[in-house]
Amino acid sequence: MVTVHRPNSQNTKVSPARREASPSVGESLTDLRAQIDRVRQWVAPLWPLSDFVAVNPWVGMTEHSFLDARHQLRRVRSCESLPSLEYLQRELQERSVSRQTLLAAWEHCRTEVPGFAEQLSREEFLVRATLRDSADADEPRDSDRRVWTFAELADQRFSTDYSALVVQEVSRHCAGHFDEGQATWAAPNQSAPLYEAWRKVAEVDRTLDWSGLAGTTLLVRRLPSDSLVALADMLRELRISPERQADYLAALAFSVNGWASFIRRSGDVVDAEPNDDFVALLAMRMAYDLAVVRNHPGLIDLVDTEHAAEESTPFSAGVLTRYALLNALESHEREDLLAKLVPGASSEESHGETDVPETGRLMAQLVFCIDVRSEVLARHLEAQSRHLRTFGFAGFFGLALEHQHLGGASSVAQCPVLLQPSFRVTDVVRDGDRDSNSAITQRNWLRRAGNKLAKAFQAGNTSCFTFVESLGLGYIIKLVTDSCSWTRPVREAGASLDSHKRDAVVVPQLPESGPHAISLERRIDLAEAMLRNLGLTRDFARVVVFCGHGSAVTNNPLKAGFDCGACGGHSGEPNARIAADLLEDGAVRAGLAERGIVIPSDTLFVAGLHVTTTDEVRLFPPRRAEHDHGRDLMRLNEHLAAASAATRQERSTRLQGQTERDLLRRCRDWSEVRPEWALAGNQAFIVGPREATSSVNLAGRVFLHSYDESRDPTGNVLELILTAPMVVANWINLQYYASTVDNVAFGSGDKAIHNVVGQIGILQGNGGDLATGLAWQSVHDGERLQHAPRRLSVIVHARRSRIQAVIEKHELVSQLAGNGWLTLVAIDQGRAYRWTAGAGWVLEREPERLNDSVTDSEVQLEAVQAEH
């Protein structure tokens, strides 16, 4: 851990350079590479727009505690990781958080944070929790900054605008280099490595020379051809000592965090050619910093000569107060949830029809994604009939596949970004021959070529005027009808390049021959793993539905963020179809029977799609043309329609009291900035049998993953859940948390001014850095937050010993649960236990022992309340 010195005041600025820097800086390129790798891990990966998924912005810092990571990051970047005191106090009041819960939070923080009690006594905490004008409760976003880029220092000292200018230049070069077809003219040297391509342009481009940084082109021309060597030389000239290299490099990386994140992800792609793009980005950014120093030599003499004395704790009382109040809110809401989940709570009787076989066999079982939006639909569906049962499962249904659309030039990964596809499926025409497949593929290719030609005509230097003059008026009708929502400017969720898909003519299919053929044994393995991980190995209903989900929105570059994260930011339709087809295969069923999973011959597997923007649920035609389930499917469709209507009615209350009709309009309106709330409001991840939650209204705030410990004798299923779906849920939760707490650093700002760049990301307006997180409209309705910033509560119905075995085996799970990135609770024999890094399992509710010696605190608190 880097030694931290606190500034004397919030205005103290510290140069990255040190006078005592060793002249041998950069001699060891191996050591420098290690420093760069360390910085690279601090940067969270960013996926391109086509695969945009939620990412924990602190993913590389989980080895540290939540507060330590906050403090380390704030040393090199202007950002915030805690909600404001005003927000926390308002939430405490509105949610009626008790004094006992506040004291329990203080006690928890006392054991978690070294020196907590010495810095913030229990009595002072109670006062600060209520006092509205505490002077140091909310520190400025840059109050802990200890390391700055030279461009930032120049802006502070000389009132220049170098930082924005430099970021604009870096962004311009990266946008051209990584463009994926948006630009009409490809950037020069795009096929060359990033550093080489940048140098060839920057050594003749005089934009910065003419903007106040004279000599920049000459500086670039004299840089070594190797980016790592160039970094070493520049570090030497800037006099950055070895012990401060990582901090300074981190400050550089975070000054262009969006591009650093995009490059970080591209370097992690399996089977991709190794590259030094991250080193290249740092070299580009440092060259511009060096240009600033050469134009303002005095900057290098800004040395921090008056460090504040080392403190026993780097956290102020105000920061600790906010952290404890966050813990109190999380604990309060978690206890409310646990009170409903602990076995023994009363359960409601399902309402609805009772027209089922006398055997009592379920009419249908439906497998939904663990997505929080599925909870609302599943709850309303089960309310329709006691003979409907739902399951929660990762929306790729355990099928890590690669999907190639009909006529598509490339395939997409339909699995969590933490995994790699293990097989490929391609679209075919249902019951079509090879000639029809070839004809449709050719037609799609011609259509794409035509679209590309039309785009070139529209954007050409001369033809663009001709296009507007001759054809522009033809767009008036479509412009008016789209604006009035009379026509739909967006395809249905899950629609492929071919319109036949909406009629279920084009379907994904497992290849049975050729280089990507899937053997029968492999298909049986896939089916068995899917059913066992789901916990569905007996008591099959007459109809089993695998229901993926996707969104239907228009004019939204971050659309993939509304789709299924478990499918890599795509619709879950292909996975649902393949899952149903696998289990409809007679040979696969026979193989499963030999392995102890006997599926009744009259069980029909069907694929479905939940369109989350409208809550429409569509069932696709089953693989078996001849089946005796017409009445079952008819009744199921009626129940789905009723559940969808009820879900829309419930969701409409969150959209500022809009009607169901308005909710349906939103997906067609190209000016709508809030087509749906997606996963806003997510709070908890529950792993357990559906019976534990079926009677509870979880308000679309909980990820539900089905799990029955009695069907998992080895504990392998639990291990899989805690190391994959739980981690993905944690990523989602912390992205929403971060985008809410500090949308400037971790979000993407105002959606109304988003501009797509290179078809890979978005910019705010016409320039600046690549945006990384969620738009403000995704978490705020214009009046108040729609996502309450809380860290994820993970509640697992299993024995503590089983859960602890996973914690001890997997370092990442241990870090997440032990360092404050989530709270892990076990429901074991009807009691709730919380995991702590120091004390192991502790009872979640222990208010009795906190009642002692609080009289003075209560008196002081009452006095403060009376005064204010």
Side-chain angles (χ1 to χ4, degrees):
M1 181 181 297
V2 179
T3 302
V4 176
H5 297 282
R6 293 186 57 76
N8 294 319
S9 70
Q10 75 176 56
N11 294 320
T12 301
K13 307 299 182 186
V14 183
S15 167
R18 294 290 300 274
R19 176 73 67 183
E20 64 272 21
S22 168
S24 63
V25 171
E27 273 185 4
S28 174
L29 296 183
T30 301
D31 290 344
L32 179 56
R33 172 76 70 175
Q35 298 278 40
I36 293 171
D37 289 342
R38 176 185 170 195
V39 171
R40 186 174 178 275
Q41 291 305 311
W42 279 24
V43 177
L46 174 66
W47 271 258
L49 293 178
S50 59
D51 308 304
F52 184 82
V53 293
V55 178
N56 169 14
W58 303 285
V59 65
M61 308 186 76
T62 54
E63 64 182 293
H64 305 288
S65 72
F66 184 85
L67 275 183
D68 281 339
R70 171 189 181 272
H71 192 71
Q72 289 195 50
L73 194 58
R74 281 168 60 90
R75 295 179 69 253
V76 296
R77 184 183 187 188
S78 298
C79 62
E80 180 53 82
S81 306
L82 286 172
S84 69
L85 179 66
E86 179 185 4
Y87 167 80
L88 292 167
Q89 290 175 329
R90 184 173 64 249
E91 287 285 281
L92 289 168
Q93 182 176 4
E94 291 181 359
R95 300 178 187 277
S96 301
V97 177
S98 68
R99 175 186 57 82
Q100 287 186 340
T101 299
L102 286 173
L103 291 173
W106 180 89
E107 182 69 20
H108 170 69
C109 292
R110 184 183 68 82
T111 59
E112 177 189 341
V113 182
F116 183 91
E118 291 77 4
Q119 188 75 4
L120 181 67
S121 68
R122 184 163 54 182
E123 290 74 18
E124 184 182 2
F125 167 65
L126 288 174
V127 172
R128 286 174 173 270
T130 305
L131 191 62
R132 294 301 178 95
D133 57 353
S134 181
D136 63 343
D138 290 328
E139 298 179 344
R141 294 172 70 249
D142 62 354
S143 62
D144 291 336
R145 250 336 253 280
R146 303 298 294 161
V147 180
W148 304 78
T149 68
F150 283 106
E152 291 169 330
L153 287 175
D155 291 347
Q156 296 160 9
R157 188 174 181 87
F158 307 117
S159 299
T160 59
D161 198 21
Y162 289 145
S163 295
L165 179 64
V166 166
V167 170
Q168 185 80 356
E169 278 298 292
V170 172
S171 189
R172 184 167 63 89
H173 284 288
C174 289
H177 186 78
F178 295 109
D179 178 80
E180 295 185 357
Q182 180 174 332
T184 303
W185 292 344
N189 310 302
Q190 191 176 23
S191 60
L194 175 61
Y195 180 70
E196 179 184 340
W198 165 73
R199 283 188 66 224
K200 288 183 177 179
V201 173
E203 65 187 10
V204 297
D205 184 351
R206 295 187 175 276
T207 301
L208 292 184
D209 295 71
W210 296 335
S211 301
L213 290 179
T216 302
T217 53
L218 181 61
L219 184 159
V220 174
R221 289 174 194 168
R222 295 179 176 177
L223 288 176
S225 59
D226 183 280
S227 58
L228 188 63
V229 175
L231 275 177
D233 287 354
M234 288 187 286
L235 285 169
R236 184 182 299 111
E237 182 173 347
L238 292 172
R239 294 185 240 166
I240 309 298
S241 61
E243 63 271 14
R244 291 177 63 91
Q245 282 182 5
D247 283 349
Y248 175 57
L249 292 172
L252 288 176
F254 286 125
S255 71
V256 284
N257 178 65
W259 289 109
S261 297
F262 177 79
I263 291 172
R264 156 73 196 280
R265 181 263 166 187
S266 63
D268 288 341
V269 176
V270 175
D271 298 331
E273 294 185 5
N275 62 69
D276 271 343
D277 284 352
F278 195 82
V279 179
L281 180 70
L282 291 175
M284 292 163 57
R285 182 61 188 82
M286 192 183 295
Y288 294 137
D289 240 21
L290 182 56
V292 171
V293 170
R294 288 186 178 180
N295 279 270
H296 300 279
L299 288 175
I300 209 166
D301 295 322
L302 290 180
V303 180
D304 181 22
T305 57
E306 297 180 359
H307 286 303
E310 188 75 22
E311 297 178 348
S312 58
T313 175
F315 313 118
S316 68
V319 169
L320 296 179
T321 298
R322 291 157 63 197
Y323 185 64
L325 293 181
L326 176 63
N327 274 273
L329 278 170
E330 292 170 343
S331 178
H332 172 79
E333 294 173 0
R334 187 166 56 249
E335 287 204 9
D336 282 350
L337 183 58
L338 286 170
K340 303 172 184 177
L341 299 180
V342 173
S346 60
S347 61
E348 300 176 2
E349 290 292 331
S350 297
H351 301 287
E353 56 85 22
T354 59
D355 184 15
V356 295
E358 295 180 357
T359 58
R361 182 182 177 189
L362 291 173
M363 181 186 76
Q365 295 161 320
L366 297 98
V367 185
F368 290 101
C369 182
I370 61 174
D371 190 288
V372 296
R373 292 166 291 187
S374 300
E375 183 274 326
V376 185
L377 178 63
R379 171 164 38 88
H380 286 297
L381 181 60
E382 289 181 336
Q384 302 300 313
S385 169
R386 65 172 62 92
H387 297 286
L388 297 175
R389 190 66 47 82
T390 65
F391 292 81
F393 197 46
F396 74 120
F397 305 118
L399 301 174
L401 60 90
E402 194 175 15
H403 179 221
Q404 184 167 9
H405 291 286
L406 185 66
S410 60
S411 55
V412 296
Q414 295 277 150
C415 58
V417 295
L418 296 173
L419 305 178
Q420 293 298 319
S422 59
F423 62 96
R424 176 182 292 182
V425 301
T426 56
D427 281 349
V428 299
V429 178
R430 182 185 290 275
D431 299 326
D433 56 26
R434 181 172 299 181
D435 291 339
S436 61
N437 280 328
S438 177
I440 294 177
T441 300
Q442 183 179 15
R443 186 188 66 186
N444 284 328
W445 182 88
L446 290 172
R447 182 168 59 192
R448 290 197 306 274
N451 289 338
K452 187 173 183 180
L453 182 62
K455 176 186 173 183
F457 182 57
Q458 289 176 340
N461 282 347
T462 57
S463 61
C464 61
F465 300 104
T466 308
F467 178 87
V468 173
E469 293 294 334
S470 59
L471 301 178
L473 292 177
Y475 278 77
I476 290 179
I477 296 177
K478 181 171 176 57
L479 182 65
V480 172
T481 56
D482 282 355
S483 298
C484 296
S485 300
W486 298 334
T487 54
R488 185 186 188 91
V490 63
R491 292 186 179 96
E492 295 284 350
S496 71
L497 295 171
D498 194 271
S499 60
H500 284 290
K501 184 116 178 189
R502 292 194 293 274
D503 298 323
V505 174
V506 176
V507 297
Q509 179 174 289
L510 282 170
E512 297 181 359
S513 60
H516 301 292
I518 307 297
S519 67
L520 174 61
E521 191 70 16
R522 173 68 171 143
R523 296 201 299 273
I524 296 173
D525 290 341
L526 290 170
E528 180 185 15
M530 178 169 53
L531 292 176
R532 292 197 185 280
N533 292 337
L534 177 60
L536 181 59
T537 56
R538 60 177 185 265
D539 303 326
F540 291 89
R542 280 181 53 81
V543 177
V544 179
V545 179
F546 286 91
C547 193
H549 69 89
S551 181
V553 297
T554 186
N555 194 30
N556 192 329
L558 296 179
K559 176 189 179 301
F562 291 85
D563 281 337
C564 183
C567 294
H570 308 110
S571 164
E573 178 186 336
N575 301 71
R577 285 182 178 271
I578 294 299
D581 284 355
L582 267 176
L583 294 168
E584 278 292 285
D585 188 327
V588 171
R589 288 202 191 194
L592 289 174
E594 293 177 357
R595 300 184 185 187
I597 302 177
V598 179
I599 301 174
S601 59
D602 65 343
T603 292
L604 179 71
F605 290 90
V606 180
L609 181 69
H610 171 203
V611 184
T612 55
T613 324
T614 63
D615 284 304
E616 170 196 9
V617 178
R618 293 179 291 164
L619 300 183
F620 299 106
R623 176 172 175 172
R624 266 190 284 174
E626 297 180 1
H627 57 82
D628 187 25
H629 296 78
R631 187 171 182 273
D632 295 318
L633 293 176
M634 180 184 70
R635 296 291 290 157
L636 180 56
N637 274 307
E638 291 174 354
H639 292 319
L640 286 169
S644 295
T647 302
R648 284 192 294 271
Q649 184 176 7
E650 178 177 332
R651 285 203 307 118
S652 65
T653 60
R654 289 188 64 189
L655 292 165
Q656 298 180 332
Q658 298 296 328
T659 64
E660 180 180 345
R661 180 179 179 181
D662 180 76
L663 189 147
L664 294 172
R665 171 198 59 80
R666 287 173 178 266
C667 69
R668 300 192 301 268
D669 188 346
W670 62 358
S671 66
E672 180 56 65
V673 294
R674 299 181 182 91
E676 60 163 291
W677 284 118
L679 295 99
N682 70 83
Q683 169 194 14
F685 179 73
I686 298 177
V687 181
R690 177 57 177 154
E691 291 76 11
T693 57
S694 59
S695 63
V696 183
N697 182 350
L698 298 173
R701 300 189 64 190
V702 177
F703 301 94
L704 292 177
H705 200 300
S706 296
Y707 177 69
D708 186 346
E709 189 177 21
S710 66
R711 301 192 184 191
D712 182 28
T714 63
N716 291 339
V717 174
L718 179 63
E719 180 179 4
L720 179 64
I721 294 172
L722 296 184
T723 55
M726 185 190 78
V727 176
V728 173
N730 173 254
W731 278 24
I732 294 170
N733 170 262
L734 288 177
Q735 185 187 62
Y736 274 86
Y737 175 98
S739 297
T740 302
V741 170
D742 188 349
N743 197 262
V744 174
F746 303 116
S748 60
D750 187 352
K751 184 184 290 186
I753 58 173
H754 282 178
N755 275 318
V756 175
V757 56
Q759 295 185 0
I760 57 175
I762 56 174
L763 302 178
Q764 282 281 293
N766 63 352
D769 192 18
L770 205 63
T772 58
L774 301 170
W776 185 239
Q777 287 90 341
S778 294
V779 295
H780 196 280
D781 64 8
E783 296 181 0
R784 62 180 299 146
L785 289 173
Q786 282 295 314
H787 178 76
R790 310 283 191 270
R791 291 166 297 176
L792 192 69
S793 291
V794 179
I795 301 169
V796 184
H797 291 255
R799 283 171 287 171
R800 284 165 287 164
S801 58
R802 278 279 185 88
I803 302 172
Q804 187 168 342
V806 178
I807 295 173
E808 294 173 349
K809 180 178 179 181
H810 295 276
E811 183 179 18
L812 176 59
V813 178
S814 176
Q815 291 174 354
L816 293 177
N819 290 339
W821 300 102
L822 54 79
T823 300
L824 183 57
V825 174
I827 295 185
D828 187 358
Q829 297 181 349
R831 305 187 75 182
Y833 299 86
R834 174 170 44 85
W835 173 259
T836 64
W841 296 104
V842 297
L843 274 174
E844 176 67 349
R845 302 186 191 89
E846 295 182 300
E848 300 83 8
R849 70 186 188 87
L850 297 173
N851 288 331
D852 57 328
S853 303
V854 297
T855 305
D856 293 341
S857 302
E858 290 178 335
V859 171
Q860 191 173 6
L861 180 59
E862 289 174 359
V864 170
Q865 291 173 332
E867 182 179 350
H868 293 273

